[in-house]
């Protein structure tokens, strides 16, 4: 097939292009500004249409979803394959998602179910992936390894956490300074309660009109007039669940720093954009290049901690695939969708409270053979079952099935 | 020689309890105790007991009774049938003359953790024999849906309503907890949720009854929130059901908060409750939230009266009874309404379910059988 790849500064560009090529598809790249015109623009639309015509494009592909691309594809009756890896992703609620040329893939099953239950059949469930082959190539490249070992990112402790702590300036939650005490109490209670629950997220369910009114007065987050997202969705996912994740990550990492003993005065390597963030017994390496450096971090650490962003209600985050694809040992919070791709206890280990996490850290730090076996198994599963090629095949099959159905209907 | 048991009756109990013990080889001395002053009652009990007694049996746990039995070297057989039971914070719990039973697994866990002693988990039994003779058809006590119970909307039944002032933050916090809990089957009102700020706020503005034993303050706050949560759930259910169905509420509580709610007439509980259960097409049970996992007596009584039970989710109910076969359970306020609607439209199914529920209760949860279980466990202690 001839694929028009709508290319913006996304993670995974090289990996997906490699996957298309490995499957003998022809890839034409069309640069796209992911921060520019996303809904409507004559020049962009005409350029894309022209390229589709010139190269006899069979399908258009982008990471994430752009209404402007969806409308173009609908106009020229060409499948638009959209693989969403950001979460939350508000453009999923654009009214354009029902356009029949859309093949949209989300990695969170509960989110997929939401669309499915509303009879939207252009949205499908597809877990993310890792290019484990490339990652293994990186790991076994000894000269690159030694560059890593001399770099500022080299692990100094047995435990690593890679991810944002959402403590940067202008966080949405902190901007709501003037919400009433009552509202503040309510929000803190529901976040505290949600902390104890894995497997389902109730934040949207408990947003009342009064709470929404108070928050809306204090933070100008409004649904897009072109979209069907609710203000409950925006505030729950972009504000509350995000703040909850900030609280949880800090709490859990502090808990590790305070309670893991016997491995020197530092016990945790932290890789996070906010390089000024300090907790005891922790080395903060600042941001790490996810593509070229993080794989070494995952591979070198004895234990990689994953604490999923709470707006990802059930899905497996990209981080988890990357860790296992790099041969790293993954210790993750429980997420319901893991069961679709991996076996807990064999490929990775899950925890359901911070005490459980601590117990498992202590156990696996002192059971090296088991730990290595699990990391190896997780890598093997990722190599065999969760490659970009497999995902590409799945996504393109969806287009083929639809076009065959359309042809059948017409004959 | 039959073992002699002093059976302390503080509320009305039926002959079934006595005959159940007797069937299991015990000789029962019933004793009506009016207890305004527990210390006086302890002295009274010390006076009555002597070495001819095997033990004292009562529902509930009262530290002064445990003391009396300990002093007279007689077993104190206490079956806790309510939650919370703050008396479990008394260190009299550790007396080796105690034989403790509880219907609520969380209490059993608590006692094990707090004192490292064994309290035996014992689900409740219902007096099937007693009810058989009471049930009969009666139109004036019939309705499509009924609920019997307190709404906890008066300050004397709900401490939260008697609090004069609490900072807005804390009020908001409690609302948040209750809103979250209403979406969940399992109890999430746990000590972790009660932050220091909340605890300090309560200590400053709320006067829990001064108690003689060292109750964890947090537990009192939790019980308070659980009660308030139940109030909201029961009142909302009454409001919604009144507008959608032929719903009767049998309660002593004030229902003036909603003109739509129809109050069923005043009941002689002993004799007429069974008739209400028998004549309601659907009997609603909404468990007090401080009964975290156990089956409340109300649910068993309903089934014992051949009533159709629609109950909120309780772990133990789900464990012992098949949902949709022996009773019905709902998992959210919306689910409750849908199931009322569904079961009202399916009379045959309803009848099959109430019959199956009755059989299960008759065979496994009759007072006779349960007392038999208790006697077994006593003999093997």
């Amino acid at each position: 097939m001839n694929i028009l790849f709508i290319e913006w500064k996304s993670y995974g560009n090289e990996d997906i292009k490699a996957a298309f090529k490995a499957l003998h598809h022809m890839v034409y790249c069309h640069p796209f500004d992911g921060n520019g015109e996303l809904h409507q623009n004559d020049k962009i639309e005409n350029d894309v249409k022209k390229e589709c015509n010139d190269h006899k494009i069979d399908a258009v592909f982008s990471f994430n979803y752009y209404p402007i691309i969806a409308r173009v594809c609908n106009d020229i009756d060409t499948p638009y394959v959209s693989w969403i890896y950001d979460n939350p992703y508000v453009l999923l609620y654009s009214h354009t998602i029902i356009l029949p040329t859309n093949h949209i893939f989300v990695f969170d099953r509960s989110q997929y179910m939401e669309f499915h239950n509303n009879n939207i059949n252009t949205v499908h469930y597809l877990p993310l992936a890792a290019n484990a082959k490339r990652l293994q190539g990186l790991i076994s490249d000894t000269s690159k390894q030694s560059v890593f070992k001399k770099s500022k990112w080299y692990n100094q402790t047995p435990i690593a956490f890679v991810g944002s702590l959402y403590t940067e300036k202008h966080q949405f939650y902190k901007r709501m300074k003037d919400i009433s005490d009552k509202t503040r109490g309510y929000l803190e209670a529901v976040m505290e309660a949600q902390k104890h629950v894995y497997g389902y997220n109730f934040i949207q369910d408990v947003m009342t009109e009064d709470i929404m009114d108070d928050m809306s007065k204090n933070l100008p987050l409004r649904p897009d007039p072109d979209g069907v997202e609710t203000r409950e969705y925006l505030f729950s996912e972009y504000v509350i669940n995000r703040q909850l994740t900030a609280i949880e990550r800090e709490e859990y990492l502090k808990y590790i720093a305070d309670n893991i003993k016997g491995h020197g005065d530092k016990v945790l390597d932290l890789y996070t954009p906010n390089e000024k963030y300090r907790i005891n017994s922790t080395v903060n390496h600042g941001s790490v290049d996810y593509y070229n450096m993080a794989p070494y971090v995952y591979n070198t650490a004895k234990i990689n901690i994953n604490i999923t962003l709470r707006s990802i209600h059930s899905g497996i985050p990209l981080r988890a695939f990357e860790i296992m694809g790099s041969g790293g040992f993954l210790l993750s919070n429980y997420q319901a969708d893991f069961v679709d791709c991996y076996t807990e206890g064999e490929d990775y280990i899950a925890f359901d409270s911070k005490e459980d996490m601590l117990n498992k850290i202590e156990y696996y730090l002192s059971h090296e053979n088991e730990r290595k076996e699990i990391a190896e198994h997780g890598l093997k599963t990722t190599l065999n079952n969760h490659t970009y090629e497999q995902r590409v095949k799945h996504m393109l099959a969806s287009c083929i099935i639809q076009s065959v159905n359309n042809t059948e209907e017409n004959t | 020689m039959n073992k002699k048991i002093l059976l302390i009756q503080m509320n009305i109990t039926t002959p079934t309890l006595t005959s159940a013990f007797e069937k299991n080889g015990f000789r029962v001395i019933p004793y009506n105790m009016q207890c305004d002053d527990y210390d006086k009652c302890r002295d009274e009990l010390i006076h009555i007991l002597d070495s001819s007694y095997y033990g004292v049996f009562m529902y509930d746990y009262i530290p002064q009774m445990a003391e009396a039995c300990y002093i007279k070297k007689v077993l104190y057989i206490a079956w806790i049938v309510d939650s919370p039971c703050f008396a479990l914070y008394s260190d009299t719990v550790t007396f080796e003359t105690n034989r403790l039973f509880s219907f609520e697994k969380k209490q059993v866990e608590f006692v094990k953790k707090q004192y490292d002693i064994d309290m035996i988990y014992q689900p409740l039994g219902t007096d099937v024999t007693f009810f058989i003779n009471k049930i009969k058809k009666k139109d004036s006590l019939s309705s499509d849906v009924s609920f019997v119970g307190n709404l906890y909307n008066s300050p004397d039944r709900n401490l939260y309503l008697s609090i004069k002032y609490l900072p807005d933050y804390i009020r908001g916090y409690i609302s948040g907890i209750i809103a979250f809990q209403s979406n969940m089957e399992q109890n999430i009102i746990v000590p972790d949720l009660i932050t220091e700020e909340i605890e300090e706020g309560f200590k400053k503005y709320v006067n829990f009854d001064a108690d003689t034993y060292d109750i964890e303050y947090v537990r009192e706050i939790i019980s308070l929130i659980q009660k308030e949560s139940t109030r909201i759930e029961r009142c909302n259910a009454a409001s919604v059901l009144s507008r959608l169905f032929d719903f009767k509420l049998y309660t002593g509580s004030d229902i003036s908060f909603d003109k739509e709610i129809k109050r069923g007439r005043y009941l002689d509980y002993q004799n007429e409750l069974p008739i209400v259960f028998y004549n309601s097409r659907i009997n609603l049970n909404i468990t007090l939230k401080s009964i975290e996992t156990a089956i409340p007596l109300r649910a068993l009584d309903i089934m014992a009266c051949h009533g159709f039970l629609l109950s909120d989710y309780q772990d133990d109910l789900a464990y012992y009874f098949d949902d949709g076969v022996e009773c019905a359970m709902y998992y959210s306020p919306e689910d409750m309404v849908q199931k009322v609607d569904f079961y009202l439209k399916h009379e045959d199914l309803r009848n099959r379910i109430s019959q199956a529920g009755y059989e299960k209760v008759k065979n496994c949860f009759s007072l006779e059988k349960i007392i038999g279980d208790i006697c077994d466990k006593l003999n093997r202690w």
Side-chain angles (χ1 to χ4, degrees):
Chain A
M1 289 171 79
N2 293 334
I3 310 287
L4 184 70
F5 180 43
I6 303 293
E7 186 167 16
W8 56 279
K9 271 202 165 78
S10 166
Y11 180 82
N13 285 344
E14 302 314 314
D15 290 329
I16 198 126
K17 279 192 267 186
F20 280 124
K21 288 179 183 148
L23 295 168
H24 309 296
H25 299 296
M26 193 62 200
V27 179
Y28 298 92
C29 294
H30 185 98
F32 180 75
D33 180 3
N35 293 317
E37 294 292 342
L38 306 181
H39 294 277
Q40 192 278 329
N41 177 280
D42 285 341
K43 179 169 190 320
I44 295 177
E45 291 174 46
N46 289 331
D47 283 350
V48 172
K49 280 182 186 167
K50 184 170 186 307
E51 268 216 76
C52 286
N53 193 39
D54 290 349
H55 300 299
K56 299 203 189 345
I57 293 297
D58 297 302
V60 175
F61 175 88
S62 77
F63 278 117
N64 290 344
Y65 174 82
Y66 298 101
I68 187 174
I69 305 296
R71 287 186 318 101
V72 165
C73 289
N74 185 55
D75 285 346
I76 58 175
D77 200 25
T78 301
Y80 173 33
V81 177
S82 152
W83 196 10
I84 316 263
Y85 76 82
D86 269 333
N87 186 310
Y89 192 72
V90 67
L91 288 174
L92 256 183
Y93 293 88
S94 158
H95 67 274
T96 60
I97 60 160
I98 58 169
L99 291 172
T101 41
N102 283 338
H103 301 263
I104 303 170
F105 296 88
V106 298
F107 71 92
D108 184 308
R109 190 186 272 280
S110 64
Q111 185 172 51
Y112 154 72
M113 284 308 297
E114 196 194 320
F115 289 100
H116 178 78
N117 290 337
N118 282 290
N119 289 315
I120 294 172
N121 49 24
T122 48
V123 176
H124 313 274
Y125 167 65
L126 184 67
L128 296 172
N131 187 346
K133 213 164 105 194
R134 173 181 67 82
L135 295 170
Q136 289 310 295
L138 264 183
I139 307 285
S140 50
D141 184 329
T142 39
S143 68
K144 286 201 176 130
Q145 265 267 16
S146 62
V147 169
F148 165 70
K149 286 190 172 139
K150 295 196 202 103
S151 76
K152 67 181 229 182
W153 295 288
Y154 185 43
N155 310 49
Q156 295 176 35
T157 77
I159 307 171
F161 177 84
V162 178
S164 176
L165 296 176
Y166 303 113
T167 53
E168 65 274 1
K169 285 191 274 198
H170 311 305
Q171 305 151 62
F172 282 148
Y173 187 81
K174 297 239 148 72
R175 277 167 62 182
M176 300 192 303
K177 281 194 280 60
D178 294 326
I179 49 176
S180 72
D181 283 349
K182 195 147 172 246
T183 298
R184 183 173 307 280
Y186 190 92
L187 293 176
E188 291 187 7
V190 304
M191 284 192 285
E192 191 64 45
Q194 180 66 68
K195 251 199 242 170
H196 290 83
V197 179
Y198 286 115
Y200 200 86
N201 196 289
F202 291 104
I203 301 296
Q204 273 190 60
D205 298 332
V206 298
M207 290 294 124
T208 64
E209 281 299 299
D210 286 346
I211 298 293
M212 289 305 318
D213 284 343
D214 198 4
M215 289 198 291
S216 299
K217 271 203 312 248
N218 285 280
L219 184 65
L221 207 55
R222 302 260 176 280
D224 190 300
D226 271 342
V228 300
E229 69 270 17
T230 59
R231 59 177 190 164
E232 280 77 6
Y233 166 81
L234 289 178
F235 277 87
S236 298
E237 305 309 336
Y238 284 90
V239 184
I240 307 301
N241 271 322
R242 190 179 167 100
Q243 171 67 5
L244 172 56
T245 308
I247 293 171
E248 260 184 323
R249 285 182 176 182
E250 182 176 49
E251 192 180 309
Y252 277 54
L253 296 182
K254 274 211 171 93
Y255 195 68
I256 295 174
D258 288 341
N259 289 289
I260 295 293
K261 306 265 178 266
H263 297 272
D265 65 332
K266 302 280 185 209
V267 297
L268 178 63
D269 284 291
L270 177 59
Y271 300 84
T272 192
N274 183 357
E275 40 185 40
K276 295 212 171 54
Y277 186 81
R278 291 275 164 274
I279 40 177
N280 52 297
S281 312
T282 301
V283 183
N284 186 346
H285 301 262
S287 277
V288 64
D289 178 337
Y290 289 150
Y291 199 77
N292 288 308
M293 277 294 159
Y296 294 110
V297 171
Y298 303 140
N299 185 265
T300 309
K302 294 198 171 141
I303 297 183
N304 290 285
I305 305 290
N306 173 58
I307 301 165
T308 309
L309 175 59
R310 281 282 186 177
S311 49
I312 302 173
H313 295 184
S314 66
I316 310 171
L318 184 59
R319 183 72 24 80
F321 289 100
E322 293 280 304
I323 289 170
M324 286 186 276
S326 305
F329 175 88
L330 172 64
L331 178 59
S332 172
N333 72 283
Y334 173 82
Q335 286 287 107
D337 292 357
F338 263 106
V339 74
D340 291 335
C341 295
Y342 292 102
T343 306
E344 202 272 347
E346 284 180 21
D347 295 312
Y348 77 102
I349 300 296
F351 60 81
D352 60 14
S353 71
K354 66 176 190 262
E355 293 79 14
D356 192 31
M357 174 189 69
L358 196 77
N359 287 336
K360 284 167 177 168
I361 290 175
E362 283 168 348
Y363 181 85
Y364 285 102
L365 281 181
S366 56
H367 288 77
E368 182 171 2
N369 290 335
E370 263 187 75
R371 197 182 71 225
K372 288 192 167 161
E373 219 181 284
I374 290 172
E376 252 176 62
H377 209 277
L379 169 61
K380 206 162 122 212
T381 306
T382 309
L383 265 168
N384 291 339
N385 301 336
H386 305 301
T387 65
Y388 279 87
E389 279 151 47
Q390 283 159 321
R391 301 297 189 248
V392 165
K393 264 197 218 163
H394 185 104
M395 290 189 277
L396 294 180
S398 171
C399 303
I400 293 170
I401 292 168
Q402 189 191 47
S403 82
V404 166
N405 284 343
N406 289 345
T407 323
E408 273 181 17
E409 279 164 23
N410 293 331
T411 52
Chain B
M1 187 62 205
N2 279 354
K3 295 182 195 161
K4 199 164 94 177
I5 284 196
L6 188 76
L7 201 151
I8 297 186
Q9 294 168 179
M10 295 173 99
N11 301 305
I12 305 167
T13 39
T14 65
T16 313
L17 191 58
T18 304
S19 62
F21 273 109
E22 285 173 350
K23 280 198 185 106
N24 282 278
F26 289 87
R27 193 176 136 218
V28 176
I29 312 291
Y31 188 75
N32 266 318
M33 187 174 280
Q34 290 309 111
C35 228
D36 304 311
D37 179 347
Y38 287 140
D39 288 336
K40 277 219 192 89
C41 292
R42 177 192 55 213
D43 297 339
E44 207 179 307
L45 193 56
I46 289 176
H47 189 70
I48 297 168
L49 291 175
D50 60 42
S51 57
S52 71
Y53 279 94
Y54 167 78
V56 170
F57 175 88
M58 65 180 293
Y59 290 119
D60 203 4
Y61 178 83
I62 297 178
Q64 286 85 348
M65 306 291 125
E67 274 170 24
C69 291
Y70 180 68
I71 289 168
K72 299 302 276 199
K73 299 197 184 351
V74 154
L75 294 184
Y76 180 51
I77 307 160
W79 187 14
I80 300 168
V81 299
D82 205 358
S83 182
C85 179
F86 286 129
L88 288 176
Y89 279 92
S90 155
D91 50 23
T92 58
V93 164
T94 57
F95 289 157
E96 63 254 20
T97 41
N98 285 344
R99 298 289 183 265
L100 303 178
F101 296 83
S102 172
F103 80 132
E104 169 59 64
K105 281 200 177 114
K106 294 289 179 189
Q107 285 178 349
V108 172
E109 276 168 32
F110 167 77
V111 162
K112 183 78 190 178
K113 191 162 164 225
Q114 184 91 341
Y115 305 102
D116 194 23
I117 67 163
D118 289 323
M119 180 157 82
I120 294 194
Y121 166 64
Q122 181 56 62
L124 299 178
T126 174
D127 202 340
V128 185
T129 337
F130 175 80
F131 290 130
I132 287 289
N133 301 315
K134 299 286 177 188
I135 58 178
K136 61 179 183 225
K137 210 165 161 346
K138 192 164 191 171
D139 284 337
S140 64
L141 292 178
S142 83
S143 61
D144 279 352
V145 195
S146 72
F147 177 78
V148 181
N150 202 289
L151 297 180
Y152 303 127
N153 59 350
S154 69
D156 62 314
R157 291 299 297 256
N158 181 346
L159 185 57
Y160 187 63
L161 299 177
S162 71
I163 299 174
K164 291 196 174 46
Y165 172 78
L166 261 186
D168 278 351
Y169 173 83
I170 296 184
R171 290 215 182 263
Y173 197 91
I174 292 176
S175 295
I177 292 181
I178 292 176
F180 200 93
Q181 176 70 80
S182 71
N183 281 289
M184 292 204 53
E185 291 144 29
Q186 255 69 32
N187 173 58
I188 44 108
I189 310 178
V190 293
D192 268 356
L193 239 56
I194 311 300
T195 60
E196 255 180 64
E197 181 169 358
I198 302 295
E199 196 175 338
E200 292 309 309
F202 266 93
K203 280 192 174 135
K204 190 164 170 198
Y205 296 104
V206 179
N207 207 1
F208 288 110
D209 276 332
D211 280 304
T212 38
Y213 13 90
D214 203 9
I215 301 174
E216 284 174 83
Y217 200 82
V218 143
R219 292 282 165 195
E220 302 204 65
I221 299 175
I222 287 175
S223 293
L224 177 144
I225 298 176
Q226 286 169 330
K227 176 76 66 82
E228 171 64 2
S229 173
T230 312
R231 172 187 77 81
I232 291 175
E233 206 182 325
R234 288 183 178 183
C235 290
N236 286 349
S239 291
V240 168
L241 293 174
S242 298
R243 286 167 172 76
L244 296 174
F245 305 102
D246 163 35
F247 172 73
K248 276 206 188 121
L249 177 59
Y250 296 91
T251 185
S253 302
D254 175 18
I255 60 166
S256 62
F257 65 93
D258 188 343
K259 305 272 179 293
E260 290 290 322
I261 299 177
K262 272 194 320 230
R263 189 202 295 277
R265 70 163 173 72
Y266 172 81
L267 289 180
D268 167 3
Y269 262 42
Q270 268 264 305
N271 294 308
E272 296 192 294
L273 254 197
I275 304 179
V276 169
F277 296 153
Y278 185 69
N279 285 273
S280 306
R281 276 168 211 88
I282 295 180
N283 291 281
L284 187 62
N285 172 60
I286 302 175
T287 311
L288 172 60
K289 290 274 160 294
S290 47
I291 300 174
E292 290 182 22
T293 64
I295 307 174
L297 187 59
R298 176 59 40 83
L300 296 173
D301 286 348
I302 287 168
M303 290 186 278
C305 295
H306 286 271
F308 176 87
L309 172 68
L310 175 62
S311 174
D312 63 340
Y313 175 87
Q314 287 291 106
D315 276 352
D316 287 0
L317 191 62
Y319 183 79
Y320 288 107
F321 291 82
D322 268 327
D323 184 10
V325 176
E326 291 163 325
C327 70
M329 271 180 277
Y330 65 85
Y331 299 84
S332 73
E334 293 77 17
D335 193 35
M336 175 193 69
V337 172
Q338 283 173 10
K339 283 179 172 155
V340 167
D341 188 52
F342 175 82
Y343 283 108
L344 282 178
K345 291 181 173 139
H346 292 80
E347 182 174 355
D348 284 345
L349 177 58
R350 228 171 50 227
N351 291 336
R352 282 204 303 276
I353 291 175
S354 14
Q355 182 61 29
Y358 169 76
E359 295 293 330
K360 173 59 80 61
V361 160
K362 188 176 90 162
N363 294 329
C364 306
F365 290 89
S366 70
L367 193 54
E368 285 101 335
K369 179 189 182 291
I370 298 292
I371 296 295
D373 289 346
I374 290 179
C375 293
D376 258 347
K377 288 163 187 172
L378 282 173
N379 289 330
R380 287 185 283 124
W381 199 292

